[in-house]
Amino acid sequence: MTLESRLDDWSRGWRGPLFAALVALIAGLPGLFAMPPLDRDESRFAQATAQMLETDDMVVIKFQDQPRFKKPVGIHWLQAASVTTFSAAEDRGIWAYRIPSLLGAMLAAAACAWGAAALLGPKTGLLAGGILGATLLLSTEAFIAKTDAALCGFTTLAMAALMRIYAAHLAGETINRWTKLAFWIGLAMGVLIKGPVGLMVVVLSIAALWIWDRKAPWLKDLGWGWGVTVLAAIVLPWAMMITVATDGAFWSTAVTGDLAPKLAGGQESHGAPFGVYTLAAFLLVFPASLLLPAGLVQGWTGRNEAGIRFALCWLIPTWLVFEILPTKLVHYTLPAVPALAMLMAAALRAPLGPISRVIGAILSVLAGLLLAAMAVYLQVEHGDPTDIVWTTLTALLFAAAGAVGAVLLMRGTAAIALVTAGALGVAAHAALVGVLVPRLEPLLLSPRLEKALEQADLAPRGGAPGPVAVTGYAEPSMIFLLGTTTQLTDPAGAAQAVAQGRPAVVEGRQEKAFQAALAALGQTARPAGVVEGFDYSDGDEERLTLYRGAPIRPGEMGDEAGEDIPVEAQP
């Protein structure tokens, strides 16, 4: 049986969306269990959800005692449901908080296949969903416990339903009520997860399609009466509760403290020039980079076709908004990537032109080599000899995905090139996030700190006096792993904790001030361990010393006491 016939068979009915969801599951699953809690956004979201479960307050979002008024509550409710079902807040297992992101990625891939099938055919729909599910961007967001994969899932669901409504109107067919419901649920959940972003994608796409067609009679078929009621029933209850609970502070802070800075400039040093997303697109869609030029050509040559037209009206306005936006983060364009996947899949319906093949092959090789070089760089900077085997395997898989795909593409077998590059690319990503990165101990400061406290019998969650006082290191992953009550303080506060019989963690640059504060209290402290590594969030080398929270008499610790300090693996 040829690949073409297999694709025809796999794309029938619900097989296409289910197969696309399976691709997203396979691509995202390795990182879900293997990767430690990431700084900073993931751990902030997870910690805020854990506090909701600890306090039974499912309305007000907080990180320790600080309000976190940036995003709506949707992702926290999804994470809370996942943790309640599969784990517990006190376990601090980050994998349970990531399940909604993985399900969001699966929903995005399935919805992409479902929507594209209506206007571009089931086989093209299957390929589009599979391309999206395997992309480096979505498969990475699939194991990170924050808003983006879930937002992509529900936004793609709304857009796919809109696509099917548009297709039904063009064909003069009756629109299924479940399709309309899918649109409104996708739109409402997108708002509840990330405010205006999903709504913006839908509105811009509708407006662009309206302008292109010079009419939009199909809009009356959305079921506005009961649909708006569904949207309000999902969004308004929490919106009203948070308004009352914070006296309106949530909305003012979200707008002035989060949204407005993103519109005004590069928030938190995340600015970049116009066009950076376009230049990086070949990496974001890897391992489908080889089809990127053909997809763009297909967008131009097939622009009068309904399915291509819809994909362009989805892709172009949304992409332009994110290019214009001063604040740029790599995941911002994710809601537009399904439309790009549709264009790339549609390009496979006819033989690719020679220029598209050559440029696609070059981009494929370049992306594979850059990602392979990244794996080598991680090994050189943060690995040790025991990691070389996995570094080599990861680099070879990335390089092979780019090179083999390019060779097959140049031989004229574009579909086979896509499938082969896709399989190798997913395997490379699994090796990277499932094995290599979790082995790079210098990057795992917070997990190693948690382990060091446990080994020294200083972990409050293990029964030791708490909370742990920490000075000079304040990454959210540490708060998530050590517990909500972890005390972020100055050297004097850390010294006071030791005097009170609690453990303290002191970063090297705070050591002198800490010792001075101890001396002022008439105390000394016995080191219980050292964790050294690299804080990738701020680019600093860190040395974290653990001190026992049991005061000892001056003179008890001799000059050689440091010889007994257990030291974690050196960077």
Side-chain angles (χ1 to χ4, degrees):
M1 183 180 291
T2 65
L3 178 61
E4 293 290 329
S5 60
R6 287 185 182 275
L7 290 175
D8 286 331
D9 186 50
W10 291 343
S11 63
R12 294 175 186 170
W14 281 101
R15 293 182 185 181
L18 288 175
F19 184 85
L22 179 62
V23 171
L25 173 65
I26 294 171
L29 192 60
L32 184 138
F33 291 105
M35 290 290 285
L38 301 175
D39 287 310
R40 293 181 168 126
D41 278 353
E42 176 179 56
S43 293
R44 286 170 176 161
F45 278 105
Q47 173 59 29
T49 300
Q51 288 182 217
M52 284 185 163
L53 294 171
E54 290 169 345
T55 62
D56 291 326
D57 182 354
M58 304 302 292
V59 176
V60 180
I61 307 165
K62 288 187 175 182
F63 182 86
Q64 291 194 301
D65 59 350
Q66 297 298 312
R68 184 165 167 79
F69 296 163
K70 291 190 174 185
K71 304 292 187 296
V73 79
I75 193 63
H76 297 290
W77 282 358
L78 293 174
Q79 290 178 356
S82 174
V83 174
T84 301
T85 303
F86 300 108
S87 182
E90 57 268 22
D91 291 346
R92 299 291 163 148
I94 190 63
W95 62 271
Y97 297 80
R98 290 170 169 168
I99 288 176
S101 294
L102 181 61
L103 293 176
M106 295 172 64
L107 175 61
C112 182
W114 178 59
L119 285 173
L120 297 171
K123 185 168 68 174
T124 300
L126 165 65
L127 290 171
I131 288 171
L132 176 63
T135 58
L136 187 67
L137 182 56
L138 183 61
S139 59
T140 299
E141 291 297 330
F143 68 80
I144 302 179
K146 53 190 184 71
T147 57
D148 298 286
L151 172 70
C152 183
F154 284 110
T155 301
T156 306
L157 176 64
M159 290 300 298
L162 200 65
M163 198 171 192
R164 296 192 76 88
I165 292 169
Y166 183 71
H169 180 82
L170 293 178
E173 299 173 351
T174 302
I175 300 168
N176 190 307
R177 182 176 289 267
W178 292 106
T179 301
K180 299 179 185 180
L181 181 62
F183 169 76
W184 289 106
I185 289 177
L187 184 62
M189 287 302 299
V191 171
L192 196 62
I193 288 171
K194 206 167 183 179
V197 177
L199 180 63
M200 177 200 73
V201 174
V202 172
V203 171
L204 287 177
S205 302
I206 291 174
L209 202 57
W210 194 337
I211 293 170
W212 194 318
D213 290 343
R214 297 192 177 90
K215 57 184 179 180
W218 52 275
L219 284 178
K220 70 180 187 301
D221 297 326
L222 292 182
W224 290 95
W226 60 267
V228 172
T229 303
V230 169
L231 186 149
I234 293 174
V235 174
L236 284 184
W238 176 78
M240 296 171 65
M241 287 188 288
I242 193 64
T243 301
V244 172
T246 65
D247 197 23
F250 175 87
W251 304 107
S252 59
T253 303
V255 172
T256 61
D258 187 55
L259 180 60
K262 287 183 171 66
L263 298 176
Q267 189 185 36
E268 298 178 353
S269 302
H270 294 313
F274 182 93
V276 69
Y277 288 131
T278 302
L279 292 176
F282 76 104
L283 286 172
L284 302 182
V285 300
F286 184 85
S289 310
L290 72 173
L291 288 182
L292 184 59
L296 297 178
V297 170
Q298 177 65 38
W300 174 254
T301 59
R303 61 190 181 279
N304 292 324
E305 181 185 347
I308 302 300
R309 183 164 66 246
F310 190 100
L312 290 173
C313 290
W314 178 354
L315 172 66
I316 295 174
T318 301
W319 197 277
L320 280 175
V321 166
F322 290 125
E323 287 283 25
I324 294 170
L325 197 67
T327 300
K328 288 183 172 63
L329 289 170
V330 67
H331 56 265
Y332 278 6
T333 57
L334 188 54
V337 174
L340 187 56
M342 291 180 186
L343 293 177
M344 290 190 289
L348 291 175
R349 296 177 301 177
L352 273 60
I355 296 177
S356 294
R357 289 182 185 276
V358 171
I359 298 177
I362 293 172
L363 291 179
S364 181
V365 171
L366 179 60
L369 291 178
L370 287 175
L371 292 168
M374 177 191 67
V376 174
Y377 171 81
L378 289 173
Q379 163 66 34
V380 171
E381 291 294 318
H382 308 294
D384 60 50
T386 65
D387 304 322
I388 291 177
V389 172
W390 286 106
T391 301
T392 303
L393 177 62
T394 302
L396 287 176
L397 283 170
F398 274 124
V404 173
V407 171
L408 292 175
L409 183 68
M410 293 305 296
R411 289 183 176 179
T413 52
I416 295 175
L418 173 66
V419 173
T420 305
L424 289 170
V426 168
H429 186 256
L432 177 69
V433 302
V435 183
L436 178 58
V437 174
R439 291 176 60 91
L440 302 177
E441 291 191 347
L443 299 178
L444 314 180
L445 274 170
S446 294
R448 289 168 54 218
L449 177 60
E450 179 195 30
K451 184 178 179 181
L453 286 166
E454 291 174 349
Q455 291 175 340
D457 294 325
L458 296 177
R461 292 203 294 131
V468 178
V470 185
T471 180
Y473 179 72
E475 294 299 339
S477 59
M478 178 187 66
I479 308 297
F480 175 75
L481 291 172
L482 300 188
T484 302
T485 59
T486 301
Q487 179 188 2
L488 302 180
T489 185
D490 56 15
Q496 187 66 40
V498 170
Q500 293 171 353
R502 295 186 286 119
V505 177
V506 180
E507 201 279 322
R509 287 176 285 272
Q510 305 293 319
E511 184 69 35
K512 185 176 180 180
F514 169 71
Q515 294 295 341
L518 275 177
L521 293 173
Q523 300 288 336
T524 58
R526 188 192 305 272
V530 175
V531 175
E532 295 184 339
F534 180 75
D535 186 350
Y536 54 83
S537 292
D538 58 19
D540 290 336
E541 297 286 344
E542 307 279 3
R543 178 181 173 88
L544 307 176
T545 303
L546 288 59
Y547 288 97
R548 293 192 178 278
I552 59 176
R553 295 185 301 275
E556 181 178 326
M557 185 167 61
D559 293 339
E560 303 300 318
E563 295 180 0
D564 297 327
I565 301 173
V567 180
E568 292 285 343
Q570 301 293 317

